[in-house]
Amino acid sequence: MAITEKQLNQYAELIVSIGVKLQKGQKLVVNATTEAVELVRAITRKAYEAGAFSVKVNWSDDVVSRTRYELAPDEAFLEEPKWYAAEMEELAENNLAVVSVVSSDPDLLKGIAHDRIVNHQKTYGKTLAKYRQYMMANKFSWCVVAAPSKAWAAKVFPDAPEAEQVDKLWDAILSSVRVNLENPVAAWEEHIRKLNEKSHYLNKKQFKKLHYVAPGTDLTIELPEGHLWLAADSDNEAGVPFVANLPTEEVFTAPLANGVNGYVSSTKPLSYGGNLIDGFKLTFENGRIIGVEAETGEETLKNLVEMDEGSHYLGEVALVPHFSPISQSGILFYNTLFDENASNHLAIGSAYAFNLQGGTKMSQEELKEKGLNQSMTHVDFMIGSDKMDIYGVTVDGEEIQIFRQGDWAI
């Protein structure tokens, strides 16, 4: 069934009050596609009702974006968006909150020359490096959410009648963020509490390394001294809690950049740069990716790994039970926001400073010395299944099973 006005308002309220936990007098930036107009309008209203100083919407459009990649001159993808970077840096330094609404077609850039996509990503990554550092250190509140688009819904539900596809995707999204429950905000508060129980246990153990074993996977990941496991919510620089992803089912930390060895295989497709990557395997030696194989999208994956030096290493380790609600729905979303919350996952690229004790107060050089990876990118990919076992190894060599056949063993 189509989303109701009540559901739309409940979703917007959840985003504003739990997602970014907007404070009176705060500035809000919303990044969204033109297919999310109704949700953006609802978010804007809820934000002003919560006391927002201003709400600025940065619109994008899939058709316009595709046309640019098809027809713009090559030099256009090398132009640095300095004006945009300056604006976002200034806002980030002055009481900012950001909501990003994802809804683009997973195949948006299929067939586009790889060098155009790569040049765009490198140029934006380099120019927005400072703003990204602010985000990775939780200087401000930020939240990623979703709304359906026709193309995305058709990808997820290809066998449904065209007239029903968007409604079915709305139902799946609302269920994943608990808007289908009587009191979504209260449901999220309880969900956060349960996830925090797992992070507290892991923080107390302070495992020296993790060992992943599954079909196509035998991987050891060392963890830096003083690492912090976090769950759904984090605190921004002002101490205000926020939830960076709606939905979220993960408990995550940062790996030791040069402490990853072995190989790992994907269990779900990865939508990256407007292209799908599937059936891939990465091999690591002393943290660095030394082998890349993929059944689909191998060139795209290799371009991701070659983005910069840091994209040859991992920046995130996330634990998600295979029997989470999104996984049990049986829906493949072709969108990392959802698919990562149905599966244990890792991230290529930059680590979050807040995953280290005192990390948000450290310089980039200090974080690097502590073993945290730095990159202009951060891309999650899914590796979990009901056949995955994970063991934590303490500094004393004690081995404790923390995942058994894809579910928590603690």
Side-chain angles (χ1 to χ4, degrees):
M1 60 181 290
I3 186 171
T4 65
E5 184 176 354
K6 178 182 178 181
Q7 289 174 318
L8 196 66
N9 286 326
Q10 285 180 316
Y11 191 20
E13 174 67 25
L14 187 68
I15 292 166
V16 171
S17 64
I18 293 291
V20 292
K21 205 174 185 65
L22 198 73
Q23 303 295 293
K24 188 174 181 179
Q26 217 171 357
K27 299 171 183 176
L28 177 66
V29 169
V30 182
N31 302 310
T33 72
T34 50
E35 297 217 34
V37 170
E38 288 186 348
L39 178 59
V40 172
R41 288 172 178 167
I43 292 171
T44 300
R45 177 169 291 278
K46 291 296 182 182
Y48 279 121
E49 288 175 354
F53 180 85
S54 64
V55 179
K56 182 181 187 297
V57 182
N58 293 324
W59 293 106
S60 62
D61 179 84
D62 276 5
V63 175
V64 171
S65 297
R66 173 80 191 194
T67 304
R68 173 176 179 261
Y69 277 98
E70 289 176 336
L71 302 177
D74 291 340
E75 303 78 49
F77 300 95
L78 299 172
E79 183 181 41
E80 296 181 359
K82 294 180 179 179
W83 60 271
Y84 178 60
E87 177 188 32
M88 294 308 293
E89 287 170 21
E90 181 179 349
L91 287 169
E93 293 165 356
N94 290 278
N95 206 17
L96 174 67
V98 178
V99 171
S100 295
V101 184
V102 298
S103 54
S104 288
D105 178 3
D107 293 318
L108 176 63
L109 301 183
K110 187 176 183 179
I112 296 294
H114 284 285
D115 59 343
R116 290 185 157 229
I117 298 172
V118 171
N119 286 340
H120 169 84
Q121 291 167 338
K122 284 186 175 180
T123 301
Y124 267 70
K126 178 182 177 182
T127 311
L128 290 166
K130 186 175 182 180
Y131 168 74
R132 185 171 187 81
Q133 289 170 14
Y134 285 156
M135 185 182 76
M136 301 295 275
N138 281 351
K139 185 176 181 65
F140 57 89
S141 300
W142 53 280
C143 182
V144 183
V145 300
S149 66
K150 290 181 180 179
W152 180 24
K155 181 75 175 180
V156 177
F157 298 106
D159 299 327
E162 184 178 348
E164 298 177 11
Q165 290 171 339
V166 169
D167 291 343
K168 287 180 71 68
L169 186 50
W170 258 129
D171 288 344
I173 291 172
L174 295 178
S175 176
S176 73
V177 295
R178 295 170 168 78
V179 170
N180 60 329
L181 302 180
E182 184 175 347
N183 190 331
V185 172
W188 267 95
E189 290 171 345
E190 175 62 13
H191 178 53
I192 291 169
R193 184 191 66 78
K194 289 181 178 178
L195 286 175
N196 282 335
E197 288 180 354
K198 302 299 185 185
S199 65
H200 292 160
Y201 172 89
L202 294 168
N203 282 328
K204 186 176 180 180
K205 286 294 182 183
Q206 279 292 297
F207 289 116
K208 181 176 178 59
K209 61 183 178 180
L210 303 176
H211 184 201
Y212 290 69
V213 181
T217 294
D218 188 354
L219 189 72
T220 300
I221 300 176
E222 294 183 50
L223 303 175
E225 186 177 347
H227 65 271
L228 288 174
W229 289 92
L230 296 174
D233 59 342
S234 304
D235 289 346
N236 66 17
E237 188 177 59
V240 177
F242 68 96
V243 177
N245 293 332
L246 294 175
T248 185
E249 303 287 338
E250 67 180 329
V251 178
F252 65 100
T253 192
L256 187 67
N258 62 359
V260 183
N261 288 280
Y263 55 90
V264 63
S265 297
S266 66
T267 52
K268 291 180 181 292
L270 168 63
S271 178
Y272 172 74
N275 290 276
L276 284 176
I277 308 168
D278 199 8
F280 60 94
K281 179 181 178 180
L282 299 176
T283 303
F284 295 81
E285 185 178 288
N286 296 326
R288 187 178 176 85
I289 297 173
I290 60 169
V292 178
E293 306 169 38
E295 295 174 7
T296 303
E298 185 171 299
E299 185 177 0
T300 301
L301 181 57
K302 287 181 176 178
N303 285 333
L304 165 59
V305 173
E306 294 294 334
M307 183 71 65
D308 61 13
E309 179 59 23
S311 57
H312 290 78
Y313 298 82
L314 295 181
E316 182 185 335
V317 178
L319 302 178
V320 180
H322 177 75
F323 302 98
S324 66
I326 296 174
S327 178
Q328 293 304 290
S329 74
I331 298 172
L332 180 60
F333 284 88
Y334 298 97
N335 184 296
T336 302
L337 175 63
F338 295 89
D339 293 336
E340 73 170 8
N341 285 299
S343 169
N344 286 316
H345 57 274
L346 306 171
I348 291 171
S350 192
Y352 292 109
F354 54 76
N355 278 135
L356 188 70
Q357 293 176 21
T360 58
K361 304 297 184 183
M362 294 181 187
S363 67
Q364 292 299 295
E365 291 73 21
E366 290 171 324
L367 289 169
K368 187 174 183 179
E369 287 177 5
K370 294 289 186 179
L372 265 65
N373 191 37
Q374 296 169 19
S375 172
M376 67 174 69
T377 193
H378 179 99
V379 179
D380 298 289
F381 63 97
M382 287 58 76
I383 64 168
S385 71
D386 59 358
K387 298 178 177 62
M388 175 166 277
D389 293 333
I390 305 175
Y391 302 87
V393 182
T394 68
V395 291
D396 297 326
E398 181 186 5
E399 192 172 90
I400 299 172
Q401 188 162 12
I402 56 178
F403 258 66
R404 181 180 296 110
Q405 295 183 339
D407 205 357
W408 288 105
I410 56 175

